[in-house]
PDB file of all heavy atoms in Angstrom:
ATOM      1  N   ILE A   3     -20.983  -1.710 -19.556  1.00  0.00           N
ATOM      2  CA  ILE A   3     -19.552  -1.534 -19.792  1.00  0.00           C
ATOM      3  C   ILE A   3     -19.351  -0.799 -21.098  1.00  0.00           C
ATOM      4  O   ILE A   3     -19.908  -1.183 -22.131  1.00  0.00           O
ATOM      5  CB  ILE A   3     -18.827  -2.895 -19.850  1.00  0.00           C
ATOM      6  CG1 ILE A   3     -18.837  -3.522 -18.454  1.00  0.00           C
ATOM      7  CG2 ILE A   3     -17.411  -2.737 -20.338  1.00  0.00           C
ATOM      8  CD1 ILE A   3     -18.124  -4.831 -18.401  1.00  0.00           C
ATOM      9  N   ARG A 118      -8.002  -7.698 -17.356  1.00  0.00           N
ATOM     10  CA  ARG A 118      -9.220  -7.213 -16.704  1.00  0.00           C
ATOM     11  C   ARG A 118      -9.398  -7.935 -15.378  1.00  0.00           C
ATOM     12  O   ARG A 118      -8.867  -9.031 -15.155  1.00  0.00           O
ATOM     13  CB  ARG A 118     -10.445  -7.454 -17.580  1.00  0.00           C
ATOM     14  CG  ARG A 118     -10.767  -8.921 -17.821  1.00  0.00           C
ATOM     15  CD  ARG A 118     -12.117  -9.070 -18.502  1.00  0.00           C
ATOM     16  NE  ARG A 118     -12.434 -10.447 -18.838  1.00  0.00           N
ATOM     17  CZ  ARG A 118     -12.964 -11.311 -17.965  1.00  0.00           C
ATOM     18  NH1 ARG A 118     -13.206 -10.943 -16.720  1.00  0.00           N
ATOM     19  NH2 ARG A 118     -13.234 -12.548 -18.335  1.00  0.00           N
ATOM     20  N   VAL A 157     -18.976  -9.988 -19.792  1.00  0.00           N
ATOM     21  CA  VAL A 157     -17.656 -10.437 -20.237  1.00  0.00           C
ATOM     22  C   VAL A 157     -17.493 -10.340 -21.750  1.00  0.00           C
ATOM     23  O   VAL A 157     -16.439  -9.954 -22.260  1.00  0.00           O
ATOM     24  CB  VAL A 157     -17.396 -11.883 -19.764  1.00  0.00           C
ATOM     25  CG1 VAL A 157     -16.110 -12.427 -20.381  1.00  0.00           C
ATOM     26  CG2 VAL A 157     -17.295 -11.926 -18.243  1.00  0.00           C
ATOM     27  N   SER A 158     -18.559 -10.672 -22.509  1.00  0.00           N
ATOM     28  CA  SER A 158     -18.442 -10.670 -23.971  1.00  0.00           C
ATOM     29  C   SER A 158     -18.118  -9.289 -24.517  1.00  0.00           C
ATOM     30  O   SER A 158     -17.507  -9.155 -25.590  1.00  0.00           O
ATOM     31  CB  SER A 158     -19.731 -11.187 -24.610  1.00  0.00           C
ATOM     32  OG  SER A 158     -20.822 -10.347 -24.264  1.00  0.00           O
ATOM     33  N   ARG A 159     -18.493  -8.247 -23.785  1.00  0.00           N
ATOM     34  CA  ARG A 159     -18.234  -6.895 -24.274  1.00  0.00           C
ATOM     35  C   ARG A 159     -16.748  -6.567 -24.269  1.00  0.00           C
ATOM     36  O   ARG A 159     -16.306  -5.685 -24.999  1.00  0.00           O
ATOM     37  CB  ARG A 159     -19.001  -5.873 -23.429  1.00  0.00           C
ATOM     38  CG  ARG A 159     -20.503  -6.121 -23.419  1.00  0.00           C
ATOM     39  CD  ARG A 159     -21.240  -5.005 -22.734  1.00  0.00           C
ATOM     40  NE  ARG A 159     -22.672  -5.300 -22.632  1.00  0.00           N
ATOM     41  CZ  ARG A 159     -23.559  -4.448 -22.167  1.00  0.00           C
ATOM     42  NH1 ARG A 159     -23.175  -3.245 -21.783  1.00  0.00           N
ATOM     43  NH2 ARG A 159     -24.833  -4.784 -22.097  1.00  0.00           N
ATOM     44  N   PHE A 160     -15.999  -7.253 -23.450  1.00  0.00           N
ATOM     45  CA  PHE A 160     -14.564  -7.010 -23.434  1.00  0.00           C
ATOM     46  C   PHE A 160     -13.903  -7.447 -24.738  1.00  0.00           C
ATOM     47  O   PHE A 160     -12.854  -6.937 -25.111  1.00  0.00           O
ATOM     48  CB  PHE A 160     -13.905  -7.724 -22.250  1.00  0.00           C
ATOM     49  CG  PHE A 160     -14.121  -7.033 -20.934  1.00  0.00           C
ATOM     50  CD1 PHE A 160     -14.994  -7.543 -20.004  1.00  0.00           C
ATOM     51  CD2 PHE A 160     -13.457  -5.853 -20.633  1.00  0.00           C
ATOM     52  CE1 PHE A 160     -15.208  -6.904 -18.795  1.00  0.00           C
ATOM     53  CE2 PHE A 160     -13.655  -5.206 -19.433  1.00  0.00           C
ATOM     54  CZ  PHE A 160     -14.534  -5.734 -18.504  1.00  0.00           C
ATOM     55  N   GLU A 161     -14.508  -8.424 -25.415  1.00  0.00           N
ATOM     56  CA  GLU A 161     -13.954  -8.858 -26.696  1.00  0.00           C
ATOM     57  C   GLU A 161     -14.017  -7.722 -27.707  1.00  0.00           C
ATOM     58  O   GLU A 161     -13.104  -7.533 -28.510  1.00  0.00           O
ATOM     59  CB  GLU A 161     -14.718 -10.083 -27.210  1.00  0.00           C
ATOM     60  CG  GLU A 161     -14.563 -11.318 -26.347  1.00  0.00           C
ATOM     61  CD  GLU A 161     -13.110 -11.716 -26.165  1.00  0.00           C
ATOM     62  OE1 GLU A 161     -12.381 -11.747 -27.179  1.00  0.00           O
ATOM     63  OE2 GLU A 161     -12.703 -11.988 -25.014  1.00  0.00           O
ATOM     64  N   ILE A 162     -15.100  -6.941 -27.671  1.00  0.00           N
ATOM     65  CA  ILE A 162     -15.210  -5.788 -28.559  1.00  0.00           C
ATOM     66  C   ILE A 162     -14.139  -4.769 -28.215  1.00  0.00           C
ATOM     67  O   ILE A 162     -13.476  -4.210 -29.100  1.00  0.00           O
ATOM     68  CB  ILE A 162     -16.610  -5.160 -28.443  1.00  0.00           C
ATOM     69  CG1 ILE A 162     -17.677  -6.168 -28.875  1.00  0.00           C
ATOM     70  CG2 ILE A 162     -16.698  -3.884 -29.277  1.00  0.00           C
ATOM     71  CD1 ILE A 162     -19.094  -5.680 -28.675  1.00  0.00           C
ATOM     72  N   ARG A 163     -13.965  -4.517 -26.941  1.00  0.00           N
ATOM     73  CA  ARG A 163     -12.934  -3.570 -26.506  1.00  0.00           C
ATOM     74  C   ARG A 163     -11.554  -4.034 -26.938  1.00  0.00           C
ATOM     75  O   ARG A 163     -10.745  -3.248 -27.433  1.00  0.00           O
ATOM     76  CB  ARG A 163     -12.990  -3.419 -24.988  1.00  0.00           C
ATOM     77  CG  ARG A 163     -11.919  -2.501 -24.423  1.00  0.00           C
ATOM     78  CD  ARG A 163     -12.095  -2.284 -22.929  1.00  0.00           C
ATOM     79  NE  ARG A 163     -13.300  -1.520 -22.652  1.00  0.00           N
ATOM     80  CZ  ARG A 163     -13.737  -1.250 -21.428  1.00  0.00           C
ATOM     81  NH1 ARG A 163     -13.081  -1.701 -20.374  1.00  0.00           N
ATOM     82  NH2 ARG A 163     -14.830  -0.533 -21.252  1.00  0.00           N
ATOM     83  N   LYS A 164     -11.269  -5.306 -26.761  1.00  0.00           N
ATOM     84  CA  LYS A 164      -9.961  -5.851 -27.146  1.00  0.00           C
ATOM     85  C   LYS A 164      -9.713  -5.670 -28.636  1.00  0.00           C
ATOM     86  O   LYS A 164      -8.613  -5.277 -29.047  1.00  0.00           O
ATOM     87  CB  LYS A 164      -9.885  -7.329 -26.778  1.00  0.00           C
ATOM     88  CG  LYS A 164      -9.660  -7.623 -25.319  1.00  0.00           C
ATOM     89  CD  LYS A 164      -9.805  -9.104 -25.022  1.00  0.00           C
ATOM     90  CE  LYS A 164      -8.904  -9.942 -25.910  1.00  0.00           C
ATOM     91  NZ  LYS A 164      -9.091 -11.382 -25.660  1.00  0.00           N
TER      92      LYS A 164
END
Side-chain angles (χ1 to χ4, degrees):
I3 291 182
R118 65 171 176 83
V157 172
S158 61
R159 302 187 185 185
F160 283 106
E161 295 303 313
I162 298 175
R163 177 175 292 176
K164 283 172 54 183

